[in-house]
Structures are given as structure tokens and as C-alpha cells.
Amino acid sequence: MTYLLKPKFHHPHLPKNGLGLTHRDYEGSVSTLCAGCGHDSISAAIIQACFELDLPPHRVAKMSGIGCSSKTPTYFLGQSHGFNSVHGRMPTIATGANLANRDLVYLGVSGDGDSASIGLGHFAHCLRRGVKMVYIVENNGVYGLTKGQFSATADRGSISKGGVGNADEPMDLVSMAILLGASYVARGFSGDKHQLVPLIKGAIEHRGMAFLDVISPCVAFNNHAGSTKSFDYVREHNEAVNALEVMLPREEITAEYASGSAVDIAQHDGSVIRLRKLAESYDPTDRLAAMAYIQERRAAGEIVTGLLHIDEDIRDLNGRLNTTETPLNSLGYEELCPGSGAIERINAQLR
Ligand SMILES: Cc1ncc(C[n+]2csc(CCOP(=O)(O)OP(=O)(O)O)c2C)c(N)n1
Ligand code: SF4
Ligand SMILES: [Mg+2]
């Protein structure tokens, strides 16, 4: 079973936005992710952001790769266009679609495995080229869909569900995004919708490459060998009468904290991550200072959240390549196939 349709009936007096649409008009199918998964909170934040922006659903194209995170476009904006692509290729498909039709809002959803492992090259070139889109990585530090292997963003020293320690350095996607030239770079936490919804709205409004790294706990696969709640411990200390594996629903992890302050977030496996929300005085337009600040807080064991960098001097790929303003599917035969004379002239320029 890959999706469940939602019942169509709803309260007759639901609030409406400027287009006369309700929240329900921005929803998708019922989620089949694990109860409490951070990814569902991100879907809810996307729905809220699009509702509040009065975004016509038919103007949005949802792009994704493969993973629990990449499944989520099924659970929001059910009336929008969508393309669930191949593992790691979301940015590539989004780049091509963007060049063919610059009229749509491209909303790309990917995972840390999807973007930082198999899709790393695609991620890098999409950001480097300045594709006008919103690129969201739902970052849980594991390959959730394939049952909890380390991803390239997993912390050094973290323990996998098999009890193996991660010896490798994690990739910091926001630092890479700033380095690669993304003109809107932010980090959020799935459990802090007061911060996440405005970050997504800002990304949609931005006219260039907007990259969002959203920390999104995987409630199923962050159990470790030292924990008495881990599957391994229970298997060892359990007299099994049959071989069942049950995924119990877990509470969603949420946090509300003020600008400039830090908060410790305890995960279900007992590990703790420390989030720091940017202070009001932080200047996101200073690219070098942003990179230094992220590294400084990282060295102190903190994950900085908020709008980390914005550059209003946008270098959009379509603008640079001077592509047509008209979507290719609206051009006629004459424009799409200008004849051998036009090709001769192009070839002559290259001789
Ligand atoms: C070419 C290819 N290689 C490997 C896989 C197996 N695979 C599916 S999803 C996935 C990792 C997903 O991890 P992530 O992007 O972090 O998503 P999450 O499930 O954690 O949200 C892998 C390795 C695949 N589908 N295709
Ligand atoms: S396995 Fe992890 S990432 Fe996948 S749905 Fe379950 S909690 Fe979410
Ligand atoms: Mg992941």
C-alpha cells in the first residue's frame, strides 16, 4: 500500500485564504510514514506555508528522489504537479523541468541519503547553477527507508541500530550550500513549526536557489546498542516465541525556543542534539561571516537554525542561459523547429 485517500468531507466553515481555498485544498493523501516521523511535520509546515501564501496549487511542481522523505510529496499539495524520480536525481529532474518551464514554483524534497550520498554530484551542480527552486533536505542522519544505515550526515561517533560506531566526518549541507553559491540558505527543525513555516515561505518567495536543511528525527532507526530500548537488546533478552517486528508509534519531538537561545533536544534513543536559533542581530547577507559562524557553533557542538544566508543579487540559471519566458509546451511548431537555416547560422558561429 503506497497511499490512502483522505475522506473529502470537512467542516463547512474552515478558514479560507485569499484564493478561497481551505487548508484541506493543500493536503495530500494520508501519510503511511511511521507515527511521529519528523518528515510528517515538514509536510504540515509546507501545507501551512502554501496556504498562507495563497499559492495556487496548480502552479506548484513537487519533485523528489527516493526515500521516506521523497515519499512525502504524496502527502501534501494533492492538486499540484509531481515527479517522484530516481534515487539522488531530484535536483537534476528539477533543473530540466525548470529550463523547460520557468513559470512554475519548483518544490524539491530530498533526504540526506538522497542528496548527500548517491545524489551528491547532482545536489552540488544544481546549487552551483542557481536553479530557481526550493530545495528541502529532510535530514535524519540515516537511510530511513532502507532501515537505518548511516547517511553522510550522521554524526561521528553515533551508533547504528546494528551497534556499529560511525567513524566518518559528517557533511554539513548548509555550509556546502553557501559555498556552492545558493542565494537563500536556512536550517530548521521539524519540531519547530513557528520557525519552519516562515523559512519555507521565504524560500518560496525567493527568486533564486533556496536551500533548506531541516533536521527531522527518524523515530524508528536511531536506537543504539547501549540502549535497553533498542531492538538488539530486546532480542537478546527476550525469549521469542515467534519472529515478529513491531514498530510502535512514538511521540513527535517538538521544541519552541527564543531567537539567540540554544535548546537540547533529546531523541528517542537517548542521544541529544543541541540547536541554536539565530539572534535577531545576525546578518544573513554576510556570506563569509555566516560560514564562520556555522563552523564556530558546530565546534561548540551546536546546530544553528534560522535563515543563515541570503543574497539578493540572484544569479538565476534561466536568466543566464536566456531561455524563453514561454513554457516549451506552449510554443508552436514554428518556434520549436525554426528550420535548417537557423541551425546553419548557429553552426557558422561555432566554426
Ligand atoms: C540506485 C539506488 N540505490 C539504492 C537504493 C536504495 N535506497 C532507497 S532509499 C535509500 C536511502 C534513503 O535515505 P534518505 O534519502 O536519507 O531518506 P530517508 O528514508 O531517511 O528519509 C536507499 C539507499 C535505490 N532505491 N536506488
Ligand atoms: S523509517 Fe524513519 S524516516 Fe522512515 S517513516 Fe519511519 S521514522 Fe520516518
Ligand atoms: Mg535520511
Side-chain angles (χ1 to χ4, degrees), residues 39 66-69 87 111-114 118 138 140 142-146:
H39 298 350
I66 300 289
C68 298
S69 33
H87 200 16
D112 41 319
D114 201 55
I118 193 167
E138 303 191 346
N140 53 18
V142 293
Y143 297 173
L145 188 72
T146 51

Side-chain angles (χ1 to χ4, degrees), residues 33-34 37-39 68 140 142 144-145 217-221:
L33 301 186
C34 305
C37 176
H39 298 350
C68 298
N140 53 18
V142 293
L145 188 72
C218 168
V219 295
F221 291 110

Side-chain angles (χ1 to χ4, degrees), residues 33-336:
L33 301 186
C34 305
C37 176
H39 298 350
D40 278 335
S41 311
I42 302 173
S43 298
I46 292 172
I47 291 169
Q48 186 70 25
C50 294
F51 170 79
E52 287 178 12
L53 284 178
D54 298 340
L55 209 59
H58 70 275
R59 289 218 40 246
V60 181
K62 308 170 289 181
M63 319 302 268
S64 63
I66 300 289
C68 298
S69 33
S70 293
K71 283 172 68 179
T72 62
T74 307
Y75 313 135
F76 59 81
L77 296 176
Q79 300 176 42
S80 299
H81 307 279
F83 196 125
N84 183 201
S85 73
V86 184
H87 200 16
R89 268 53 172 192
M90 180 282 283
T92 321
I93 300 289
T95 304
N98 204 303
L99 290 176
N101 184 350
R102 52 159 96 183
D103 248 10
L104 298 174
V105 175
Y106 290 96
L107 192 50
V109 176
S110 178
D112 41 319
D114 201 55
S115 278
S117 294
I118 193 167
L120 186 61
H122 301 264
F123 155 84
H125 290 289
C126 180
L127 268 66
R128 181 180 74 84
R129 288 181 174 132
V131 177
K132 182 179 176 309
M133 67 179 291
V134 179
Y135 189 139
I136 299 179
V137 170
E138 303 191 346
N139 190 350
N140 53 18
V142 293
Y143 297 173
L145 188 72
T146 51
K147 302 200 182 297
Q149 301 86 352
F150 290 128
S151 80
T153 65
D155 288 321
R156 187 147 60 92
S158 58
I159 311 290
S160 78
K161 70 167 188 156
V164 180
N166 181 28
D168 300 329
E169 272 298 316
M171 277 183 200
D172 184 31
L173 292 175
V174 289
S175 299
M176 291 175 75
I178 296 175
L179 193 67
L180 288 162
S183 44
Y184 181 105
V185 180
R187 184 158 48 203
F189 172 50
S190 59
D192 184 0
K193 74 167 189 293
H194 294 296
Q195 183 192 48
L196 187 54
V197 172
L199 286 179
I200 296 173
K201 284 168 77 174
I204 292 172
E205 295 281 274
H206 187 65
R207 289 166 293 109
M209 160 52 73
F211 179 76
L212 267 121
D213 179 27
V214 186
I215 309 296
S216 176
C218 168
V219 295
F221 291 110
N222 58 2
N223 56 326
H224 62 86
S227 166
T228 56
K229 307 282 188 297
S230 73
F231 280 101
D232 292 333
Y233 183 93
V234 176
R235 267 192 211 103
E236 267 178 44
H237 297 80
N238 187 22
E239 207 180 85
V241 291
N242 53 24
L244 295 176
E245 202 164 75
V246 178
M247 311 292 289
L248 294 174
R250 307 182 90 163
E251 285 294 307
E252 179 197 351
I253 302 169
T254 57
E256 274 185 44
Y257 59 118
S259 301
S261 71
V263 66
D264 287 335
I265 307 284
Q267 311 228 56
H268 289 297
D269 65 354
S271 65
V272 174
I273 56 172
R274 191 167 174 77
L275 304 182
R276 175 169 295 278
K277 198 174 281 190
L278 291 171
E280 303 284 351
S281 56
Y282 178 85
D283 175 12
T285 61
D286 187 338
R287 185 165 178 253
L288 293 181
M291 291 171 86
Y293 185 69
I294 294 166
Q295 295 310 318
E296 180 208 301
R297 298 323 311 161
R298 193 176 167 198
E302 293 179 357
I303 302 168
V304 195
T305 68
L307 177 58
L308 299 161
H309 176 57
I310 187 161
D311 183 355
E312 295 291 358
D313 181 20
I314 292 162
R315 299 161 304 281
D316 165 45
L317 182 63
N318 272 305
R320 231 175 26 254
L321 294 181
N322 197 21
T323 58
T324 169
E325 301 263 353
T326 316
L328 294 190
N329 64 1
S330 306
L331 292 177
Y333 180 77
E334 296 295 313
E335 292 138 316
L336 288 171

